[in-house]
Structures are given as C-alpha cells and as structure tokens.
Amino acid sequence: MSPRAETRTSGRWQSGLCLACIAVVSMVAGCQSAAQHQLTALSAFDNGDFQASVTALDAAAEERGSEQELIAVDHAIARMLSGNALYGETELRQARSRLDYLKQKDLKEQTQAVFTDDQAVSWTPRDYERRMIDSLLVLASLQHGGEDSFAYSSQAMETVHQDLQSLQAAESERQDAEQDASEADELIVPNRFSVNALSAYLHAAVNSEQAMNSDLTDRSIRAVSFWHRGSDSSDLLTAGFGTQTGKRHGTVHVITLHGRVTDWQPETAVPTSAALLVAGEILSSTGDHTVPPNVAPVQIARPIHEAFTSRIQTRISWDNGSNVVQQTGRQLVDLNAAAFDSYQQSRDDQIARAVARRIVKKASVYAAKDSLGVGSNSGLDVVINLGGMAWEALEKPDTRHISLLPASVEVVQLEVPVGSQEVHLDPVWNDGALAGERVTVDVEVEDGRNSYVICVCPPQQPDRLIVLP
Amino acid sequence: MKALQLTGCALLTFVLLSGCRNRQYAHVLDRDDQDMVGSHEAGAETWKPLIDESVASMLGRACSDVSTVSYTTAGGTPVRNVCFVGVENRSSEPIGDFREQIYEYIDAAIGRSDQFDMISRRYVEAAMSEIRCRPEVLVLPQKQAELQAALQRAEQPFDFILFAKISSGTTRSNKDYQRDYLLTLELLDIHTGKSLKESASLRKGYHKTRLGELRHYGN
C-alpha cells in the first residue's frame, strides 16, 4: 500500500470514528433530553398542571431512544386528567393493545438482555399497572358519557376473575404441599391485587343502572370487599349504586386520585453480590484464568415508598334545604402498597436474572481469555478484566414504571334526588377539619343512575382538589 | 472450553425461557364450524344448546298448559304478553358478556313463536329502573302491580313474567372437576300465580391433563 493510500485509509478510519462518536453522543444526548422532558412532565403533573404535562410528554416522545410505550401511557393519563377524556381513552386503548403485544417474550430482546440488562427488553407494565390501565379506561369512558364503559369494565372483571382463580389455585397447591386437609381458609389477598377493588367498584357502578343486573351488581360489590382485603363493604360504600337508591334518586360517586405513584430506585442485592464475590474468588483461584472481580454490585429495582400515607380525604356534602348530608371518602386502592408487594413478589426472579446475566458475562470473559491464551497477571489480562468490570457496571435495574398513576384512589358516594344538584367537595384532615378550599360542583343526577365526579389531589398540593371537567 | 460450555448453558437457559413475539390473528367461522370449548368456564358450547333446549321445552309446554291470554290473533291463536325480567346468574362462574347474549337469544327465540308477544327489553328495563325493582322480588303481587302499572303507562301490559336463572353444581375429584350447568326458564302467570318451569342441563368436565378425561369418563 502506498503512503498516500495509507493516509486515505487512516483518514477514513478517523472520520468513521468521529461519526460513530457523534452518533453515540447524540444518542446519549437524545436519551437525556427525553428524560429531561419527562422530568418536566412529572413536575407539571405534581403541581396539577396536566396540560403542561401533556406538552412535555409530547416533546419527550419526539426524542430518539425514548421509551415510547411508557410515554404513551403517561401521555394518555395526563390527557385524560387535562380534560380530554375521549383522546385519553383512545390513547390508553391503543397503548394497551401495543403492550399486550410486547408482553410476549422476544428471543432477540431476551438474548440482548443477557449481555446488557433488563432494560433491553421492551417495557411492559407490572400487573398492578396493567389492571390500573383497565380501570382508567372505564373511568375515561365514564368521563365522556360511558358508551364503552360496560365493555371496559367487563374486560377488567375478566382479569379480576383470573386473579381469583390463580389465588385459589395457589392456595390449593399450598394445601396439597402441606398435606393440609382442613377446609380452605379465607383467601388472603396480596396488595398487588388491590387494584381489583377499583375494577369491581366500577363494574358494580356500571351494572347498577340496570335493575335486571342487580345480581351482578351485588356480586361485584362483594368483590370490592374481597379485593379490598376483606373489609366490610359498608365502610367503603356509603350509598346504594344506581337503581339501588330510592325512587327519584341517583348516586353521585366522587373518585379522588391522590398523589403520584411511587418511583422505583435501584437496590443492591447485598447477599447475592457477596455470594457472587465468593464464587468469583473461588473460580479465579482454582481456574486457569481469573474472572473480573465483583466490583459492581448486583442491582435490582424496588419502589421508593412502601405505602401511601395521606391524612387528607375528600368529603362530599349536599344541602337539601333543611339539613346537610355528607360523607367522607375511604381509600379503595393504595398503589404504592401494590407496587411494593409486586416488588416483593418479583424480587427473587429479578435476582435470578441478574445472577444468570453475571454468570454469562464472567464466563464470556473467561472464555475470551481461554481462547486468546492470555497469561495470568499479564497486561492483556488486566485490560480484559477491566473491560469485564465495566461491562458488569453498565447494568441497570429495570426501574421503568408508569409515573403518572395516582398513589391512592379514594371513593365516596352520596344518594341525592334527581335534577341538577349542587354538591360541595372539601379536602379534610382525618379529624374532619377543613384542609383546603371547598369546591362546588353542579351535578346532573338522573333517576336510578350514577353521576361521577373525578378529582385529583396533586402531590405538591395535596390539600387542593382539582375536579376534572 | 468449560467456560464456553458454561456460557452456552446460561445463554440456552435464557433463550429457552423466552420465545417469539406473535401477532394476533382471527378468522370468521363457517356455519358448520363447531364452537370453541371453554377450557376454564362455560362458553358458547354450553349456553347455546342450553338456550335452545330450554326454550323449545318452554314453547312446547306453553301450548297446552297456559290458559291466560291477552288476545287472539286473526287466526284464533292465543297470544301471551310476556315481560322478560332478565337472566339471574346463581352459578359459581361469572358469565361475563354472555349475560346480554343469553337474554337476547331467549327473547328472540320465544318472540318468534306466534303464541308469545315479548315486551321490548327497553320498556322493561326502564320500568324496572323506575320502580326500583329487582327481578327476584317480582313474585310479590305488590311489585307485580307496580311493574304492571309502569308498563301500562307505556301501553305495554303483560300477563306473564319470564325469569331465567343459571345455576351450577360442581363435583370435584382431586384437581379435576365436573360442573353441571342448569338454565331454568320460569313463566309466571301474574293473574293466577301459577308458574311453568322448564330447564335444560349440560355437564362439562374440566381436567388438568388430557388423561383426566380418560380417567373419569373413559373417552
């Protein structure tokens, strides 16, 4: 090769390298930018500015490398809360279909995940998130007339029924394993299924408008108590639903979404990391080659908060001229507790995947040294070990989650006469003292039907009730 | 070499745990295609024959047993005005979206008979909502009178109330179980208080393995 040709080749290499660097930098910058937009969206949401949240999520979705499905769900929620229930519902339905497709395991992604981390796999919602999407679809539909609310609530109840069957099957297996011939105890509902209480509540409400479906309404109301961890439904349900009310009366449901669901953070699996460290040391001392030392700990994802604690509730009151009728809301679902229970349930699985990934990585480094004939403590050995350590350190736990779900859902009902009624909503402390400004809402109450008032208490202003249009 | 095998094993484990992502497909069934058999619950394979059988029995008996009629057609056939008040599910399974279908099938099948005139569901629903009436309390004369009054205001008087009830019975044998489904139609004459009851049943076996069917039923 002539010196000139050599220079040209070298120049090509350099420009190629430059382009590659620019590509990598722009990709990283793109991801950061998407993350920044998402942070802006969260901040706007936390302050109750849902429209600004929608705008920021629009910008995030345009960035390359962003988690499109995740953003789509958050976007749909923000849109629904900003008053565009119809669009929110459409987006949520489309996102759900896409997520159902992505829920299936993909060979390519799973293989990639072995060499990188769990974030290489397309995001799919955790079970409690998926159930919440179903319930939000019912709510979104009810917000703009409820045309599809029957279908959505029936779909949600199918999942609820499957959950019941899986709980029963697990209990039966447990009894078989323990050779327990006694009558099955009452099933204990894990917190991760608590969203089912909301699904059952909405199903009861939707069906209660048909007197013919009274048995179905009763069944769903029993399901609310069951999924609300066996509580008495009379605590939660302060008025009859739909046709359960007196003649010429209807039910006003106030559904308050409190706060924002817990974020997830990395957690170091200390015993696993220690076990891997020991295993690595044994392998290094007994094998022909060393494996990269376990500098990067094994990390898994866990929710920041274990439960939602709010001291503020929503009180609904209606003045009938002679006296004031009022009821105070009760928490139906604690999504932080659901998230934490979901973490506890999947913890072992997360660790197992992380360990399998480490084994593959360490074995790959060992195999590379073996095939290259790298001598112990040689320069190349150190370089390969450093590379292996960096490879392991790049792993990130899968902390992806729907950010704009509420932390808690509270419900309260009031039976009021038909017609245009003025109801007052007050954020109150646990002792009943007023915590924030009263909101007055005009509700059109129809005979034997339900009217819905959906409120949001933004995380930064928990004493402020925002009533969705 | 051992390291390579180890890598391969770990990779294989991961890969075996995963699969391929498939799109969903659908096809339109031909008329002679058999219904899918629900693996965990009753489905079309259960409800359709139950409806056909119970309705046929009801129509057969109604010709001879029921004497109260509202009016006769030009041909002299007695016509009975029926208020169908819904399908009550007392089985151990939720029937989901089949509830609406079961109602519509029964309503349409009985309505096709010359001897029955079914009141439109929309009138019935509106009247039941207005008087806050659950189907099961319609055996009480007072509630019947309230419903009659509400429907008469809409010029839809009736002589009979039709109840449909689904019930089930489950027999377990270890992890397998047999569920007997019963669809009962009950036609109540509000003038005499007499009722005519017909039902159809269907048995289904649910098994954890293919062998379950062989073990319990010898098929």
Side-chain angles (χ1 to χ4, degrees):
Chain A
M1 194 183 286
S2 68
R4 205 169 180 179
E6 216 171 80
T7 313
R8 208 181 306 144
T9 315
S10 147
R12 273 185 199 151
W13 270 106
Q14 278 173 355
S15 57
L17 197 64
C18 268
L19 278 175
C21 285
I22 289 166
V24 168
V25 167
S26 62
M27 273 173 72
V28 171
C31 291
Q32 276 179 346
S33 187
Q36 278 165 0
H37 287 307
Q38 279 178 289
L39 282 176
T40 309
L42 294 188
S43 168
F45 183 93
D46 288 353
N47 286 299
D49 189 350
F50 306 125
Q51 191 51 51
S53 190
V54 171
T55 311
L57 286 167
D58 276 332
E62 283 171 13
E63 298 294 343
R64 195 168 42 190
S66 57
E67 284 282 353
Q68 292 293 326
E69 282 74 30
L70 201 49
I71 292 173
V73 177
D74 279 338
H75 190 270
I77 296 171
R79 204 139 195 215
M80 178 187 154
L81 301 187
S82 68
N84 279 316
L86 182 60
Y87 290 112
E89 180 199 328
T90 309
E91 286 180 17
L92 214 48
R93 194 176 60 238
Q94 287 167 348
R96 186 176 68 168
S97 303
R98 176 84 184 132
L99 292 172
D100 282 344
Y101 168 70
L102 290 174
K103 196 180 177 185
Q104 301 174 88
K105 284 186 175 167
D106 180 70
L107 190 66
K108 188 180 153 199
E109 283 180 358
Q110 295 294 327
T111 314
Q112 265 182 342
V114 180
F115 292 105
T116 52
D117 55 35
D118 278 346
Q119 298 208 21
V121 179
S122 293
W123 173 77
T124 50
R126 294 175 177 88
D127 283 349
Y128 73 93
E129 293 175 312
R130 179 65 172 74
R131 282 159 187 75
M132 201 58 202
I133 291 176
D134 287 344
S135 290
L136 285 176
L137 273 167
V138 185
L139 272 182
S141 175
L142 290 172
Q143 237 183 305
H144 69 88
E147 266 178 31
D148 288 325
S149 56
F150 178 79
Y152 289 135
S153 68
S154 298
Q155 289 166 6
M157 282 309 277
E158 271 182 35
T159 313
V160 173
H161 182 57
Q162 283 165 12
D163 285 343
L164 179 64
Q165 283 183 325
S166 68
L167 273 184
Q168 285 169 336
E171 175 62 16
S172 153
E173 271 177 28
R174 186 196 64 79
Q175 282 195 328
D176 284 352
E178 293 174 9
Q179 295 185 326
D180 181 0
S182 64
E183 271 293 301
D185 293 331
E186 231 173 64
L187 286 171
I188 297 166
V189 180
N191 273 331
R192 61 183 177 280
F193 292 123
S194 60
V195 182
N196 288 343
L198 178 60
S199 305
Y201 181 94
L202 295 172
H203 192 248
V206 167
N207 280 283
S208 68
E209 293 186 352
Q210 288 183 316
M212 277 185 192
N213 290 353
S214 55
D215 61 325
L216 191 56
T217 309
D218 292 347
R219 198 182 263 241
S220 300
I221 286 174
R222 282 197 299 275
V224 174
S225 302
F226 175 77
W227 293 108
H228 192 252
R229 296 168 70 85
S231 68
D232 188 353
S233 63
S234 60
D235 288 348
L236 276 168
L237 312 179
T238 49
F241 286 16
T243 51
Q244 292 180 333
T245 57
K247 286 179 190 173
R248 304 287 298 157
H249 280 69
T251 312
V252 177
H253 296 260
V254 179
I255 300 170
T256 311
L257 311 178
H258 286 277
R260 190 163 62 73
V261 74
T262 177
D263 286 321
W264 288 60
Q265 65 184 0
E267 177 200 3
T268 302
V270 179
T272 311
S273 302
L276 270 178
L277 179 71
V278 175
E281 290 303 313
I282 292 170
L283 196 65
S284 294
S285 60
T286 55
D288 298 332
H289 306 280
T290 57
V291 291
N294 230 46
V295 175
V298 171
Q299 289 196 317
I300 55 172
R302 70 165 278 159
I304 294 173
H305 303 292
E306 294 183 17
F308 177 74
T309 43
S310 169
R311 293 185 298 132
I312 292 179
Q313 296 157 306
T314 309
R315 186 173 63 201
I316 178 174
S317 52
W318 172 74
D319 190 347
N320 67 3
S322 54
N323 61 334
V324 177
V325 188
Q326 61 182 36
Q327 293 290 352
T328 306
R330 289 283 308 270
Q331 186 185 64
L332 184 64
V333 181
D334 180 345
L335 276 154
N336 284 1
F340 190 72
D341 187 53
S342 166
Y343 148 76
Q344 285 182 314
Q345 191 243 346
S346 67
R347 193 171 187 277
D348 291 345
D349 188 43
Q350 278 197 72
I351 291 176
R353 280 203 310 276
V355 168
R357 186 177 300 117
R358 281 295 167 91
I359 291 170
V360 168
K361 289 184 176 178
K362 287 191 191 296
S364 303
V365 169
Y366 194 96
K369 286 181 184 177
D370 205 32
S371 58
L372 293 170
V374 177
S376 299
N377 302 322
S378 65
L380 188 57
D381 185 48
V382 173
V383 169
I384 292 177
N385 271 351
L386 282 173
M389 282 159 58
W391 190 16
E392 288 174 6
L394 283 173
E395 283 172 23
K396 282 182 192 164
D398 191 2
T399 53
R400 295 172 294 176
H401 67 285
I402 305 174
S403 304
L404 302 190
L405 288 177
S408 157
V409 181
E410 181 198 286
V411 290
V412 62
Q413 318 80 35
L414 201 64
E415 182 177 329
V416 287
V418 293
S420 182
Q421 303 290 353
E422 201 174 66
V423 294
H424 307 292
L425 304 174
D426 297 306
V428 292
W429 298 106
N430 284 348
D431 60 3
L434 206 60
E437 273 184 39
R438 163 173 279 196
V439 181
T440 301
V441 190
D442 282 324
V443 185
E444 196 57 43
V445 181
E446 291 178 56
D447 190 15
R449 303 201 66 180
N450 300 293
S451 308
Y452 302 90
V453 179
I454 302 171
C455 307
V456 182
C457 286
Q460 294 295 333
Q461 301 157 357
D463 54 357
R464 178 182 163 209
L465 279 175
I466 300 174
V467 178
L468 304 190
Chain B
M1 202 59 197
K2 276 179 189 167
L4 268 175
Q5 284 171 348
L6 190 64
T7 315
C9 282
L11 251 177
L12 192 66
T13 314
F14 251 82
V15 167
L16 283 177
L17 289 173
S18 57
C20 291
R21 209 170 261 159
N22 295 312
R23 296 215 169 267
Q24 186 167 326
Y25 297 93
H27 72 289
V28 177
L29 298 181
D30 290 330
R31 280 192 175 277
D32 52 353
D33 281 336
Q34 284 210 326
D35 285 319
M36 196 183 272
V37 177
S39 60
H40 289 72
E41 286 166 356
E45 84 294 338
T46 304
W47 303 126
K48 283 183 187 171
L50 283 182
I51 293 166
D52 290 344
E53 192 184 332
S54 56
V55 168
S57 307
M58 172 64 70
L59 293 178
R61 269 194 63 190
C63 291
S64 53
D65 284 19
V66 184
S67 54
T68 308
V69 292
S70 291
Y71 60 90
T72 52
T73 59
T77 318
V79 176
R80 295 145 179 96
N81 287 322
V82 179
C83 172
F84 184 13
V85 293
V87 181
E88 190 183 0
N89 179 21
R90 289 298 183 96
S91 75
S92 63
E93 291 176 10
I95 51 174
D97 54 355
F98 264 109
R99 175 186 289 266
E100 298 293 311
Q101 280 229 328
I102 292 170
Y103 184 101
E104 295 301 335
Y105 270 126
I106 295 173
D107 195 35
I110 296 182
R112 273 197 293 272
S113 161
D114 294 338
Q115 299 157 9
F116 291 95
D117 193 12
M118 305 295 284
I119 296 176
S120 163
R121 178 179 181 166
R122 294 181 192 281
Y123 284 115
V124 179
E125 268 182 353
M128 286 176 71
S129 291
E130 185 190 324
I131 64 162
R132 298 289 192 277
C133 173
R134 300 166 64 94
E136 65 267 25
V137 297
L138 277 169
V139 289
L140 303 173
Q142 185 204 338
K143 282 288 171 191
Q144 288 174 5
E146 279 187 52
L147 183 65
Q148 181 74 288
L151 281 169
Q152 262 172 349
R153 281 198 291 276
E155 295 179 354
Q156 301 290 327
F158 63 93
D159 305 305
F160 295 89
I161 297 176
L162 178 64
F163 299 93
K165 188 165 98 177
I166 290 165
S167 54
S168 67
T170 309
T171 312
R172 294 189 186 276
S173 172
N174 296 319
K175 288 186 175 176
D176 297 335
Y177 60 94
Q178 176 186 310
R179 188 158 284 159
D180 297 8
Y181 298 93
L182 188 73
L183 172 61
T184 308
L185 297 181
E186 189 173 357
L187 194 62
L188 179 71
D189 185 332
I190 60 163
H191 304 296
T192 64
K194 284 184 181 173
S195 71
L196 188 155
K197 209 171 189 177
E198 281 298 328
S199 53
S201 69
L202 189 145
R203 299 173 304 151
K204 252 183 99 178
Y206 294 92
H207 317 287
K208 292 288 171 198
T209 61
R210 283 259 174 212
L211 281 176
E213 188 180 350
L214 187 70
R215 191 164 60 236
H216 296 291
Y217 305 103
N219 295 330

